[in-house]
Amino acid sequence: MFEDFLKMTLQDFIPKAYKNSIKKGSYTWSSPSNIALVKYWGKRDPQIPENPSISFTLDHCKTTTTLSFSKKQEKNDFSFEIYLDGDKKESFKPKIETFFKRVADYLPFLKDYHFVIETSNSFPHSSGIASSASGMSALSLCLMSIEKELNEDVSDAFFIQKASFLARLGSGSACRSLEGDLVVWGQHDAINGSSDLYGVKYPFEVHENFKNYRDTILLVDKGEKQVSSTVGHNLMHDHPFAKERFDQAKTNLERLIPILKEGDLEAFIKIVESEALTLHAMMMTSMPYFILMKPNTLEIINKIWAFREKTDSKICFTLDAGANVHVLYPAYESDQVSEFIKNELVAFCQKGHYISDRIGFGANQLTMKN
């Protein structure tokens, strides 16, 4: 069975006729965000990454989505409403419409129902903590819960794999949010079973140093990003350094395999920080160019470097496509690093806000169908 999953193609995700019928129901899933160690930046249609990536799944930063559905009389179009924290969000509809169009062949029941999508985040929306990753993965899991009810033959393994496949079509990095604690997305010769179509759990040995790793997210800027990730990805098409960047990411992912096995924290820091800075270097050297880091982002980075030099701590930073800083450190340094963050870094956060998180192990279903 496992060997079959290594060969999954687009056709394998198109279901045969459903065995069952449902009039209405509701599902709720909670799915976490993730933080990439090797970054994905640049893609081809439909949502195919130009380079493989690997991420830590988070625990506290998550989206909870309830998907309610009821049978329609007419089946000629998609029908849905979407709410964020109880408020109707018409501005979210175009993204969901695009997502439904992309996945329609793989979920043929989509036009049969009217959907009400109720979602909430445990962190600020559109502030560089990958709310689209947690949101699209939670929605995809809800949709797969419907498909499993329509066809009870769907296995648990296929359920997660197809949910990851669907989530990718909503937001690329969403395919890395369903499982944990390390997930790879993108085909890489060194990682058996890896695919451009969905995320896979990291298959190799991981040293105790990287178990229960901590991530404190410093909220430098909780506002909307000036350039969306979608726009940023598209600017890689004609980027003068694109090929070198994609090759670098593949090399860094392969270099991480022995580092994660041996627990080499020094080597881990070098790759993770270099990846973060390279991601933002791609933004600053695209055309048009843009900068998502803020002055306080740089202040925090320099403070981290000074603290590491002074104390020999194994603290490091990474960045997503935004101004916020993810402070990564092993669990055994929690007390020391927490004091450092409170004493020296919180001053650079917007209103002193930050989120203390850690490695998590993926999504959870919160309620069954009504």
Side-chain angles (χ1 to χ4, degrees):
M1 189 67 172
F2 178 71
E3 290 302 319
D4 292 339
F5 280 132
L6 297 186
K7 304 169 186 173
M8 296 297 285
T9 65
L10 292 173
Q11 200 66 29
D12 294 313
F13 294 112
I14 299 176
K16 298 184 173 70
Y18 294 127
K19 297 180 178 180
N20 302 323
S21 177
I22 325 167
K23 288 187 177 180
K24 63 179 181 178
S26 178
Y27 285 99
T28 301
W29 279 86
S30 176
S31 189
S33 186
N34 63 78
I35 180 64
L37 306 174
V38 171
K39 307 295 183 180
Y40 138 69
W41 198 245
K43 62 185 177 183
R44 308 184 303 277
D45 286 336
Q47 299 286 91
I48 299 297
E50 291 284 9
N51 66 265
S53 57
I54 184 170
S55 59
F56 274 143
T57 307
L58 298 180
D59 188 38
H60 302 317
C61 289
K62 59 183 67 174
T63 297
T64 299
T65 296
T66 296
L67 180 67
S68 304
F69 56 99
S70 54
K71 201 93 169 185
K72 296 189 305 180
Q73 294 296 323
E74 301 286 333
K75 300 181 181 181
N76 56 347
D77 210 348
F78 303 119
S79 175
F80 63 92
E81 305 163 51
I82 183 163
Y83 297 83
L84 175 67
D85 298 324
D87 296 326
K88 198 166 188 177
K89 286 290 182 182
E90 293 295 327
S91 61
F92 287 9
K93 292 192 81 170
K95 184 163 188 173
I96 301 299
E97 179 93 19
T98 298
F99 173 59
F100 278 2
K101 287 177 181 176
R102 286 175 178 168
V103 302
D105 288 343
Y106 310 106
L107 297 172
F109 63 80
L110 278 180
K111 291 185 179 179
D112 295 348
Y113 297 97
H114 174 73
F115 298 97
V116 178
I117 305 164
E118 299 170 275
T119 191
S120 63
N121 297 324
S122 66
F123 55 89
H125 173 73
S126 291
S127 59
I129 316 179
S131 59
S132 59
S134 54
M136 284 299 181
S137 56
L139 177 57
S140 297
L141 287 159
C142 290
L143 291 168
M144 279 306 298
S145 290
I146 298 173
E147 179 156 287
K148 188 171 176 64
E149 190 170 358
L150 291 166
N151 179 14
E152 67 270 15
D153 293 339
V154 170
S155 69
D156 290 345
F158 181 77
F159 182 99
I160 289 294
Q161 190 177 53
K162 183 169 177 179
S164 178
F165 168 82
L166 296 171
R168 185 198 98 245
L169 291 169
S171 172
S173 59
C175 72
R176 299 192 309 244
S177 279
L178 286 80
E179 298 182 280
D181 48 358
L182 283 159
V183 177
V184 174
W185 171 41
Q187 199 281 325
H188 195 297
D189 292 342
I191 299 177
N192 199 26
S194 59
S195 173
D196 290 341
L197 300 182
Y198 44 82
V200 298
K201 289 185 70 170
Y202 179 72
F204 302 123
E205 183 181 346
V206 177
H207 192 278
E208 197 65 29
N209 282 348
F210 298 108
K211 300 294 177 67
N212 200 23
Y213 224 71
R214 302 303 169 91
D215 179 5
T216 297
I217 304 149
L218 306 179
L219 301 179
V220 173
D221 184 4
K222 293 188 282 183
E224 295 279 340
K225 292 181 292 188
Q226 67 190 63
V227 176
S228 72
S229 293
T230 298
V231 171
H233 281 292
N234 289 337
L235 291 175
M236 288 296 285
H237 291 316
D238 299 313
H239 199 293
F241 308 133
K243 183 182 183 303
E244 288 80 4
R245 165 57 199 154
F246 302 146
D247 290 343
Q248 178 197 46
K250 292 173 187 174
T251 299
N252 281 341
L253 181 48
E254 190 160 3
R255 285 175 176 165
L256 267 181
I257 295 172
I259 290 169
L260 291 171
K261 180 179 179 179
E262 295 159 12
D264 188 340
L265 291 165
E266 295 280 358
F268 177 81
I269 289 169
K270 288 177 182 176
I271 285 181
V272 169
E273 291 190 344
S274 171
E275 278 283 320
L277 294 173
T278 300
L279 171 67
H280 284 260
M282 292 299 103
M283 300 172 191
M284 289 188 276
T285 51
S286 64
M287 188 58 72
Y289 41 81
F290 59 101
I291 300 174
L292 295 185
M293 288 189 285
K294 302 292 186 183
N296 281 354
T297 306
L298 298 176
E299 292 282 359
I300 289 167
I301 289 171
N302 280 304
K303 288 278 188 182
I304 288 171
W305 284 343
F307 178 76
R308 194 164 67 215
E309 179 71 23
K310 179 181 176 181
T311 64
D312 199 33
S313 166
K314 304 308 177 193
I315 188 176
C316 69
F317 73 88
T318 190
L319 309 166
D320 257 344
N324 300 327
V325 181
H326 290 250
V327 185
L328 301 177
Y329 49 99
Y332 64 78
E333 287 195 13
S334 292
D335 291 344
Q336 178 190 24
V337 172
S338 293
E339 282 301 306
F340 164 60
I341 289 170
K342 290 174 187 175
N343 294 336
E344 297 195 44
L345 301 186
V346 168
F348 299 104
C349 299
Q350 189 174 339
K351 296 182 179 179
H353 291 174
Y354 65 97
I355 300 169
S356 295
D357 211 333
R358 61 186 179 188
I359 287 179
F361 295 92
N364 292 292
Q365 187 173 0
L366 300 184
T367 61
M368 296 302 289
K369 182 178 73 69
N370 291 339

